[in-house]
Amino acid sequence: MTTTVSTPPAAAAVQQQVADLAATRIASWQEGYLKDRSPAVAALARLRRGAGREAGETPDLWSLVDTDPLHTPVEGMRPLSEQELERAENALHAALTLWAFHQQSRGVPMHRRHTRERPGGLGAAVRRLMPADGTDAPVRKRLVRAGTAPDLATLTQRLRDIVALLRAAKDPVPLDYALLAGQLYVWQWADGPAAVRRRWGRSFHEQVRTLPGTAPASNEKNTPDTDKDAS
C-alpha cells in the first residue's frame, strides 16, 4: 500500500494507544504461556501463524487480535478516522503475531518493556546479536533492509527474519513489542518511515547500562526453554 498522507497531528496519541493495547494483550498471553496454561498456549499457536501476513488475511485471528478499544473514543480525543483505525489495526496485528513467533518454545519472556538501563528497541536488540568487540555486517544489513522496506507487508516479512535471529540466539534476545507496535503505526504515514528509521538507528547505538552483577528482573529468571508448540 502506497503511503501518501502526512502523519496526522494526533499520531503520537494514537501511537500510544496502539502501544498500550499491544502491551495489555501480550502481558496476559505471555504470563499464561510461561505458566503453561492451555488457553494461552493455544492462542500463541494461532497468532504465530499470522506472522509476516497482512491483517485480515488469517480469519482465525480476528477474534484474538481484538481492536475494540481503538473504536472507543478516549476522553479528550476525537474518534479515530477509518484510515487511522486501519493503520492501528495493521500495526497491532503485526506486533502481536511477531511476538508470538518470537515467544514460541521459549521459557523466558520475549516481550520486555524498554527502559533506559535495558534498551528494548529493535536496534538495541539487533546490536545484542553482535560480538561485544565489533559488529556483524550481515545482521546489521538485515536491520538496514527492514528500514528501507517499501510498505508494511514487506517490512513485516523482514522483521520476521530478524525475529528469527533473536529467538535462535544462544541467549534469546527479547524485544519491546509495545514499542514496536507504536512504531509500526507511525511507519504507515508518509513521513513515518524516516522517523522510525531514525529511532531504530538511535536504538542500535544505545548502550546497555545494567551494572555488572545486577540480578535479572523477577519475571526473567533463567528458565529452561520448553518444547511446547514447537512446530
Side-chain angles (χ1 to χ4, degrees):
M1 179 174 63
T2 302
T3 53
T4 58
V5 181
S6 296
T7 308
V14 181
Q15 178 182 3
Q16 190 61 52
Q17 278 186 275
V18 173
D20 290 345
L21 185 53
T24 299
R25 296 285 184 263
I26 291 174
S28 176
W29 286 323
Q30 185 165 262
E31 179 184 10
Y33 182 79
L34 295 176
K35 292 180 178 179
D36 202 20
R37 294 172 180 161
S38 296
V41 172
L44 186 137
R46 290 166 60 191
L47 282 166
R48 75 170 187 270
R49 288 194 287 270
R53 298 184 179 182
E54 293 187 35
E57 186 179 334
T58 310
D60 184 47
L61 300 186
W62 293 351
S63 61
L64 280 180
V65 185
D66 182 6
T67 59
D68 283 352
L70 297 175
H71 294 261
T72 303
V74 176
E75 185 177 356
M77 285 183 60
R78 59 167 173 75
L80 301 188
S81 68
E82 284 300 318
Q83 191 172 47
E84 288 170 325
L85 282 169
E86 179 184 356
R87 294 180 179 189
E89 291 168 353
N90 289 342
L92 188 64
H93 169 90
L96 295 182
T97 56
L98 285 169
W99 163 75
F101 174 66
H102 197 169
Q103 186 65 62
Q104 175 192 357
S105 298
R106 293 293 171 261
V108 293
M110 291 295 97
H111 163 63
R112 188 185 70 199
R113 296 309 302 264
H114 166 86
T115 65
R116 285 176 57 85
E117 293 73 25
R118 305 177 76 183
L122 182 66
V126 170
R127 186 64 179 263
R128 286 184 61 187
L129 291 173
M130 300 183 182
D133 58 351
T135 60
D136 184 322
V139 172
R140 184 178 183 278
K141 185 176 180 180
R142 287 182 182 271
L143 180 62
V144 173
R145 286 189 71 245
T148 58
D151 52 50
L152 185 64
T154 304
L155 173 60
T156 305
Q157 287 285 354
R158 293 178 183 179
L159 289 177
R160 189 182 188 279
D161 292 340
I162 292 174
V163 169
L165 296 178
L166 298 178
R167 72 178 301 276
K170 182 178 180 181
D171 294 314
V173 180
L175 188 63
D176 185 339
Y177 279 95
L179 178 64
L180 181 63
Q183 291 171 342
L184 292 179
Y185 172 75
V186 173
W187 177 276
Q188 295 170 81
W189 299 93
D191 52 356
V196 174
R197 282 195 297 269
R198 288 193 297 270
R199 188 63 193 92
W200 289 349
R202 290 195 299 270
S203 174
F204 181 82
H205 293 289
E206 284 176 327
Q207 298 298 315
V208 178
R209 287 180 285 272
T210 303
L211 295 175
T214 300
S218 60
N219 65 342
E220 294 188 85
K221 295 178 181 177
N222 294 325
T223 305
D225 287 349
T226 66
D227 63 355
K228 55 180 175 286
D229 67 40
S231 59

